[in-house]
Amino acid sequence: DQPPRYQTLAEIGQGGDAIVLETFDTALHRIVAVKAMKTSAAASEESRRVFTREGRLIGYLDHPGVVPIYDHFLREDDEPCYALKLLGGETLGARLEYEAGGPAEALPVSEALSIFTRIAETLVFAHDRGVAHLDLKPDNVMLGRYGEVLLMDWGNARLFDAEPYRRYLGDNAGEEEIALLVDEPADLLSGTPHFMAPEQTQRPRTTLGPSADIFSAGVLLYLMLTGDVPFQGEDMRSLFRAIQTEPVPPLRSKNAEIPERLALICESLLAKDENERPASLHDVLAELATFRDAGQAFP
């Protein structure tokens, strides 16, 4: 028997249903990350389906702001795995020294703007392909050692528009494969509370799309610029009520050095009514480019 292609070197981390391993690829002689289902989760057909779904979504989103996926395979014990690029660097959460709901270290305006722009560019690509991330938070943004900014953890993402995916697949897959990405529970609330859009706290995920990501991206920008999340609560109910009803504390009241136009752009992302937010992050990126080119990013 041939030895397995992927040889585990060390554990990097683990979550609810999966474990991430630093692994040596004996075929290409490189170190990769392998995300593998835990044995307990692999026994569930639904868990395996969700895991496969995430891998296919990542493969579909072939963009510099998404961690590249290299392979999908089964381990010796029949546990599904996929091999990904092994990233160096730190999460945005680590850079900000942010813990759930607590204060963080605000970034210089130029750095916050640079990171936000890269996040928005990745989201624009995903939205144009019919995918909403729906779990933007500092720990799901990786800052690479060479300036990379990558969105991670697409396990909560949804294909809100299947047509771009159908066009992408062409005749290479049937409706059953497309259904794997489209089908999802209809009554599920999901996301990370402090970063959820008002509609995300009230409606099932099957009704959500890019607008929820636009709001969450606004929370990330607000946090980077001020060191605070815009909404707080003593418990989940009061936090959701604040997100749904309380006005956004003006950014310049937290940090007077934030340029006024940038503060207005950020606050527009945080409109309660999704119809009052920018229609697309394309528009936001265009406005930010104008802002930067006019020299307004600097005192």
Side-chain angles (χ1 to χ4, degrees):
D1 285 351
Q2 276 193 327
R5 173 177 173 176
Y6 296 101
Q7 297 182 356
T8 300
L9 302 176
E11 181 181 321
I12 298 171
Q14 56 179 295
D17 287 345
I19 185 168
V20 182
L21 305 164
E22 183 178 331
T23 304
F24 182 63
D25 177 350
T26 61
L28 293 176
H29 281 232
R30 62 179 176 179
I31 310 294
V32 299
V34 166
K35 185 171 183 178
M37 289 197 78
K38 293 179 180 176
T39 306
S40 55
S44 161
E45 279 303 317
E46 181 57 28
S47 295
R48 293 172 77 98
R49 180 181 173 88
V50 169
F51 189 82
T52 302
R53 182 179 187 275
E54 181 184 9
R56 288 192 184 174
L57 263 181
I58 295 170
Y60 173 48
L61 297 175
D62 185 12
H63 183 271
V66 180
V67 184
I69 187 167
Y70 299 138
D71 195 8
H72 182 279
F73 60 99
L74 297 176
R75 289 208 290 186
E76 299 88 341
D77 42 14
D78 203 38
E79 293 164 357
C81 308
Y82 43 84
L84 301 145
K85 181 177 181 178
L86 182 65
L87 298 174
E90 63 180 352
T91 66
L92 178 59
R95 174 73 179 85
L96 295 169
E97 298 181 19
Y98 171 81
E99 294 185 12
E105 292 292 322
L107 301 180
V109 168
S110 58
E111 184 180 356
L113 195 53
S114 175
I115 292 171
F116 177 81
T117 299
R118 303 290 289 281
I119 291 169
E121 287 170 350
T122 304
L123 287 173
V124 158
F125 176 82
H127 294 168
D128 284 354
R129 290 208 152 195
V131 178
H133 187 282
L134 300 183
D135 196 15
L136 297 178
K137 59 181 176 182
D139 284 348
N140 282 346
V141 178
M142 177 61 79
L143 307 178
R145 294 196 183 108
Y146 301 98
E148 311 98 316
V149 179
L150 299 110
L151 283 188
M152 303 188 300
D153 195 351
W154 294 81
N156 197 49
R158 70 174 297 255
L159 191 70
F160 65 87
D161 181 1
E163 283 312 306
Y165 188 53
R166 282 195 177 90
R167 289 196 298 272
Y168 169 80
L169 291 175
D171 297 329
N172 296 302
E175 285 301 314
E176 187 176 334
E177 286 78 10
I178 293 168
L180 176 68
L181 265 62
V182 174
D183 293 346
E184 56 185 327
D187 57 351
L188 190 64
L189 279 180
S190 56
T192 300
H194 284 93
F195 297 86
M196 289 165 71
E199 64 271 20
Q200 199 170 356
T201 67
Q202 296 171 298
R203 301 198 321 240
R205 55 177 282 117
T206 49
T207 67
L208 303 175
S211 190
D213 280 348
I214 290 172
F215 185 95
S216 300
V219 178
L220 278 178
L221 180 58
Y222 190 103
L223 176 65
M224 288 190 284
L225 290 170
T226 68
D228 289 319
V229 288
F231 305 106
Q232 293 283 4
E234 294 179 0
D235 53 32
M236 194 80 74
R237 179 175 292 183
S238 61
L239 172 61
F240 283 179
R241 187 164 56 246
I243 291 170
Q244 293 161 12
T245 63
E246 289 184 8
V248 179
L251 280 85
R252 286 168 58 80
S253 69
K254 305 255 183 185
N255 179 357
E257 294 184 7
I258 299 170
E260 186 172 355
R261 188 170 177 190
L262 180 57
L264 290 172
I265 291 170
C266 182
E267 288 162 13
S268 74
L269 304 176
L270 297 170
K272 303 292 183 193
D273 185 341
E274 55 193 304
N275 296 314
E276 294 178 3
R277 293 173 211 148
S280 161
L281 283 169
H282 283 287
D283 301 334
V284 177
L285 285 168
E287 195 167 353
L288 287 174
T290 302
F291 168 76
R292 279 195 311 272
D293 294 344
Q296 295 180 55
F298 307 97

